[in-house]
Amino acid sequence: MAELLDGRLLAKDVEDRLQQVVAAGLERAGRPPGLAVLRVGDDPASGVYVANKEKASARVGIASHGAHLPAGSSAATVLAEIQRLNADPAVDGILLQLPLPAGLAEGPLLNAIDPGKDADGLHPCNLGRLLKGEPGPRSCTPAGVMALLARARVPLEGARAVVVGRSILVGQPMALMLQAANATVTVAHSRSRDLAALCREADVLVVAAGRPRLIGAEHVKPGAVVVDVGIHRLPPSAADGPSGRGGLCGDVRFEEVEPLVAAITPVPGGVGPMTVTMLLVNTVASWRAAFAPPVAGAGGEPAAADPLADLLP
Ligand code: NAP
């Protein structure tokens, strides 16, 4: 039976560590870390995601400075709000919740976020830092995957890794992070020939194709580690009852793949919780950097271990 890479468990552990870091730095900083989730319009799924991020922030002691602009807001209005948050000294992390309403281009707005407050790690400047191996906020979903792999002590050095998907949000930064961990990485996409054969080469297979149940037994090498980033709501079925909302599934046919592999993430409860947690890590790291160097020993004492050391680049 495969080991389950439990994102909820790891997220709880990281939240406990973040709470410690916030409590320890509060007096010196004179204020809690601040995260602003900027929402535009009324996409219902976004409403749930924003609420979850704000609840998670509250659990670790991060203050929420979110703003909710109406669906008809112009690009200039959203830009002005981003600039206000960039200038607000109580805000350490800014996240523009996607998708934006039709007619608003996300690129220029994402680029307007101060790279030092880029809680999502998606600013071109921070993607460039990832490419160059320099410190900076890392994209939350792939960083969460790396944390799950590290927690399960999955050996990456010299391993063959295949990433299915090449989006800027997940696939590309994922491939860079695995490469930085000395894996040999192949990136597959919708034009790749013989996806199953490519995937079967993987010791570590990360699937971020956004295609429900794309990956099955024919795509995995026995004993591989499989990370399923996909998340999809299934249409309600008769079994859900009259108020049914349908279940969730990933890009992987879990029931087919799980018996073959060494470890696998569940959906839900795998990558999703870690994505939110890494947003908190980026925010707390930026807060801490603003008022104090990372934990250091004084007077020749050995430096206290940094509770976030394994989560930061
Ligand atoms: P995306 O922007 O749609 O990108 C999907 C990528 O998969 C593209 O590169 C596409 O190739 C590739 N692809 C699509 N169909 C394929 C196929 N049949 N074979 C091989 N490759 C294929 O999606 P995304 O934003 O990266 O997200 C991927 C999934 O992860 C979605 O289900 C999303 O909801 C989920 N997600 C989850 C979390 C979380 O926290 N759990 C966070 C972010 C995203 P081309 O480039 O050739 O089109």
Side-chain angles (χ1 to χ4, degrees), residues 294-305:
V295 187
E301 295 162 21

Side-chain angles (χ1 to χ4, degrees), residues 90-135:
V91 171
D92 303 284
I94 303 170
L95 178 147
L96 180 62
Q97 184 67 44
L98 303 177
L100 295 174
L104 280 181
E106 63 189 47
L109 294 170
L110 288 172
N111 292 358
I113 294 173
D114 175 346
K117 294 187 176 189
D118 173 29
D120 243 348
L122 293 175
H123 192 282
C125 192
N126 290 320
L127 290 170
R129 286 174 174 150
L130 167 63
L131 188 67
K132 294 183 79 178
E134 293 173 0

Side-chain angles (χ1 to χ4, degrees), residues 141 164-171 188-192 195 207-211 214 228-232 251 271-273 275-276:
T141 301
V164 184
R166 57 176 168 181
S167 72
I168 291 294
L169 183 65
V170 188
H189 46 77
S190 67
R191 314 285 173 89
S192 297
L195 182 68
V207 189
R211 296 281 178 272
L214 172 72
D228 188 354
V229 179
I231 185 144
H232 313 275
D251 288 355
V271 175
T275 296
V276 177

